[in-house]
Amino acid sequence: MVKMTIEEMAGYLDEVFPQVDGMFGIDRIDDELVVMRLLNHDRHLRPGGTVSGPAMFSLADVVAYVAVLAHVGREALAVTTHCSIDFMRKPEAGVDLLAEGRVLKMGRALAVIDVLLFSEGNRQPVAHASLTYSIPPKRTERAAG
Amino acid sequence: MVKMTIEEMAGYLDEVFPQVDGMFGIDRIDDELVVMRLLNHDRHLRPGGTVSGPAMFSLADVVAYVAVLAHVGREALAVTTHCSIDFMRKPEAGVDLLAEGRVLKMGRALAVIDVLLFSEGNRQPVAHASLTYSIPPKRTERAAG
Amino acid sequence: MVKMTIEEMAGYLDEVFPQVDGMFGIDRIDDELVVMRLLNHDRHLRPGGTVSGPAMFSLADVVAYVAVLAHVGREALAVTTHCSIDFMRKPEAGVDLLAEGRVLKMGRALAVIDVLLFSEGNRQPVAHASLTYSIPPKRTERAAG
Amino acid sequence: MVKMTIEEMAGYLDEVFPQVDGMFGIDRIDDELVVMRLLNHDRHLRPGGTVSGPAMFSLADVVAYVAVLAHVGREALAVTTHCSIDFMRKPEAGVDLLAEGRVLKMGRALAVIDVLLFSEGNRQPVAHASLTYSIPPKRTERAAG
């Protein structure tokens, strides 16, 4: 059961990552799926009008982070420990890049999230990523442990 | 045998990726190793003074790209097809983040590059990445093929 | 459109990989999905009754191979160039381990396949893998190229 | 500082993994490097005399496991949570396949190990893997925590 709404999540991201303000939009957060999009992506373009690899990585990383937060609640300390990403197709010019994140495992200490990136309106994936987040124990647990 | 000097490479990156101008410095290019650094990294900082995951990915990606170019020559079409990256330690505040790239395989169509990221002055790796670049056939080869 | 039936595929695997004869069963081959299972898996067990990591890797690898073959036809030279695999849960004892393979990209030279492993009767994934297969040009193409 | 000798480690592997008895040899265990080899590898051959992908995965996995054990001591519960492996060259026929494992991070809960596979006598890597092992807390710690 997700613990944060789109509005709560957007407010939280603005608070903890002010430097990416306006870079990402959140379309959907529920138990099955988190969907986000890369906004204002002109500044991420490479020659030929395509989105850069680092911008795609950023989008995959943030959708995984949001999927973890949605399940565990505000836990700003969750950190990426691993990402495997396959870049498969050139993103289409002139449309937004979307990312769908699915939680494959939400363990006590590790979460694994599967992410697919699409050009809006085309279901052939642009990239596919698997990310692992480490979820440090909460301060009270640590104090007790 | 590498085909481009540091100066030639720096000029080429400025030309094809003007949007990352001033973001990366090149310390070394030779047959064994490519070493680069993330410059002006204040703008890549996350709360707590650490470099963001996307900035580390960008640095790993560019050092792999430069390692490929150094071997095949100006071949702007080389594209990342895969990256696996492990984030292992928090980068140190106040020092540059360095990346060492080693070519593990330089095939006709695919190159595999191993990358280690360090905080300058500390050999314990901050992150470790393996990247695959696809090298499209040159236009003349394609025409013939 | 897949080019081989389950029977054709099973016969082909017996022919080219006689050493794994009887190790894997094929449940389904169609455009959307390939489903296979690890048979006789007593010999792959680790202490505690769980399937070993290498046996899970083998299953992920063969389902990806079959998914590629199903699309390109008998092409025994297709070779794994990369695999990223996350082991997430202990497989259940006493039931078969199943693998579902989905082709994410079927390019001219590279195919990317997503694989989920389950204990039969439980949809929580045991492991998740992404594999890349390299598809060498056919001999006639190579002769011409 | 490694905590187990080659003899102790070989005896321990025989005890916990009797099914792989005689499959692997240990050449070296010290703080810098663990070196192992795939023995009797006739039974792992694919058509053309090459070692199979699953056998290479097994070798990478065991060398990483041994590197973790060497650092933490007999801790049979250490489990692989992730492996990324690039297959780069065909192993040479008629010589042993060797694996070198280096610990990149030995954390409280996670260890990251870099592994290179070679054909004996040839330093061009056959495969390159990065593995993550999860190290569960010891029973006494868990009881306290």
Side-chain angles (χ1 to χ4, degrees):
Chain A
M1 196 81 82
V2 295
K3 298 182 177 171
M4 296 175 76
T5 63
I6 289 179
E7 291 67 32
E8 287 166 350
M9 189 65 76
Y12 186 65
L13 291 182
D14 283 352
E15 186 187 311
V16 295
F17 299 123
Q19 73 277 37
V20 299
D21 188 20
M23 189 167 165
F24 305 111
I26 309 175
D27 283 30
R28 173 176 167 184
I29 297 178
D30 59 33
D31 290 345
E32 190 200 337
L33 210 58
V34 169
V35 182
M36 294 183 67
R37 64 178 62 224
L38 186 64
L39 299 173
N40 295 335
H41 66 287
D42 293 0
R43 59 173 146 149
H44 310 296
L45 294 184
R46 283 284 159 86
T50 192
V51 177
S52 73
M56 289 193 264
F57 174 87
S58 296
L59 179 61
D61 190 38
V62 78
V63 81
Y65 180 69
V66 164
V68 172
L69 280 200
H71 282 81
V72 300
R74 292 161 161 262
E75 189 74 40
L77 292 174
V79 291
T80 316
T81 56
H82 178 76
C83 175
S84 286
I85 184 164
D86 288 293
F87 299 99
M88 296 184 288
R89 290 177 183 87
K90 206 174 137 168
E92 290 181 25
V95 298
D96 275 0
L97 191 64
L98 299 184
E100 293 182 356
R102 276 174 191 76
V103 173
L104 295 183
K105 179 187 179 179
M106 180 61 62
R108 229 181 108 79
L110 287 180
V112 181
I113 306 96
D114 186 60
V115 179
L116 282 168
L117 269 60
F118 302 94
S119 295
E120 187 158 31
N122 182 342
R123 290 297 299 175
Q124 292 210 305
V126 161
H128 177 227
S130 179
L131 294 104
T132 305
Y133 266 76
S134 172
I135 306 165
K138 296 205 179 87
R139 236 152 283 179
T140 50
E141 292 183 54
R142 256 192 303 210
Chain B
M1 196 81 83
V2 296
K3 297 182 178 172
M4 295 175 76
T5 64
I6 290 180
E7 291 66 32
E8 287 166 350
M9 189 65 76
Y12 186 65
L13 291 182
D14 283 352
E15 185 188 311
V16 294
F17 300 123
Q19 74 276 38
V20 299
D21 188 21
M23 188 168 166
F24 305 110
I26 309 175
D27 283 31
R28 173 175 166 185
I29 297 178
D30 59 33
D31 290 345
E32 190 199 338
L33 210 58
V34 169
V35 182
M36 293 182 67
R37 65 179 62 222
L38 186 64
L39 299 172
N40 295 336
H41 66 286
D42 293 1
R43 59 173 146 150
H44 310 296
L45 294 185
R46 282 284 159 87
T50 192
V51 177
S52 73
M56 289 193 264
F57 173 87
S58 296
L59 178 60
D61 190 37
V62 77
V63 81
Y65 180 68
V66 164
V68 172
L69 280 200
H71 282 81
V72 300
R74 292 162 161 261
E75 188 75 40
L77 293 174
V79 291
T80 316
T81 55
H82 177 76
C83 176
S84 286
I85 184 164
D86 289 295
F87 299 100
M88 296 183 289
R89 292 178 181 86
K90 206 174 138 168
E92 291 180 25
V95 298
D96 274 359
L97 190 64
L98 299 185
E100 293 181 357
R102 275 174 192 77
V103 173
L104 295 182
K105 180 187 179 178
M106 181 60 63
R108 230 181 107 81
L110 288 180
V112 181
I113 307 96
D114 186 61
V115 179
L116 281 167
L117 269 60
F118 303 95
S119 295
E120 188 158 32
N122 182 342
R123 289 297 299 175
Q124 292 211 307
V126 161
H128 177 227
S130 179
L131 293 105
T132 305
Y133 266 75
S134 171
I135 307 164
K138 296 204 180 88
R139 236 152 282 181
T140 50
E141 291 184 55
R142 255 192 303 209
Chain C
M1 197 81 82
V2 296
K3 297 183 176 171
M4 296 176 77
T5 64
I6 289 178
E7 291 67 33
E8 287 166 348
M9 189 67 75
Y12 185 65
L13 291 181
D14 283 353
E15 185 187 310
V16 294
F17 300 122
Q19 73 275 39
V20 299
D21 189 20
M23 188 167 165
F24 305 110
I26 308 175
D27 283 30
R28 172 176 168 185
I29 297 178
D30 59 33
D31 290 345
E32 190 200 337
L33 211 57
V34 169
V35 182
M36 294 183 67
R37 64 179 63 224
L38 186 64
L39 300 172
N40 295 335
H41 66 284
D42 293 2
R43 60 171 145 150
H44 310 296
L45 293 185
R46 282 285 160 85
T50 192
V51 177
S52 73
M56 289 194 264
F57 174 87
S58 296
L59 179 60
D61 190 38
V62 78
V63 81
Y65 180 68
V66 164
V68 172
L69 280 200
H71 281 80
V72 300
R74 293 161 161 261
E75 188 75 40
L77 292 174
V79 291
T80 316
T81 55
H82 177 78
C83 176
S84 286
I85 185 164
D86 289 293
F87 300 99
M88 296 183 289
R89 293 178 180 84
K90 206 174 137 168
E92 291 180 25
V95 297
D96 275 0
L97 191 64
L98 299 184
E100 294 181 356
R102 276 174 192 79
V103 174
L104 295 183
K105 181 188 177 177
M106 181 60 63
R108 229 181 107 81
L110 288 179
V112 180
I113 306 96
D114 186 60
V115 179
L116 281 166
L117 269 61
F118 302 96
S119 294
E120 188 159 30
N122 181 341
R123 290 295 301 175
Q124 291 209 305
V126 161
H128 177 228
S130 179
L131 294 103
T132 304
Y133 266 76
S134 171
I135 307 164
K138 297 205 179 86
R139 236 150 283 180
T140 49
E141 292 183 53
R142 256 192 301 211
Chain D
M1 196 82 83
V2 296
K3 298 181 176 172
M4 297 175 76
T5 64
I6 289 178
E7 291 68 32
E8 287 166 349
M9 189 66 76
Y12 185 66
L13 291 182
D14 283 353
E15 186 187 309
V16 295
F17 299 121
Q19 73 276 38
V20 300
D21 188 20
M23 188 167 165
F24 305 110
I26 309 175
D27 283 30
R28 172 175 167 184
I29 297 179
D30 59 32
D31 290 345
E32 189 200 339
L33 210 57
V34 169
V35 182
M36 295 183 67
R37 64 179 63 223
L38 186 64
L39 301 172
N40 296 334
H41 66 286
D42 292 2
R43 59 172 145 150
H44 309 297
L45 294 185
R46 282 285 160 86
T50 192
V51 177
S52 73
M56 289 194 263
F57 174 87
S58 296
L59 179 60
D61 191 38
V62 78
V63 81
Y65 180 68
V66 164
V68 172
L69 280 199
H71 282 81
V72 300
R74 292 161 161 263
E75 189 75 40
L77 293 174
V79 291
T80 316
T81 56
H82 177 76
C83 176
S84 285
I85 185 164
D86 289 293
F87 299 100
M88 295 183 289
R89 291 178 182 84
K90 207 175 137 167
E92 290 181 25
V95 298
D96 275 0
L97 191 64
L98 299 184
E100 294 182 356
R102 276 174 190 78
V103 174
L104 294 183
K105 180 187 178 179
M106 181 60 63
R108 228 182 109 79
L110 288 180
V112 180
I113 308 96
D114 186 61
V115 180
L116 281 167
L117 270 61
F118 302 95
S119 295
E120 189 159 30
N122 182 341
R123 290 295 301 175
Q124 292 209 305
V126 161
H128 177 228
S130 178
L131 293 103
T132 304
Y133 266 76
S134 171
I135 307 164
K138 296 204 180 85
R139 235 151 286 179
T140 50
E141 290 183 55
R142 257 193 300 213

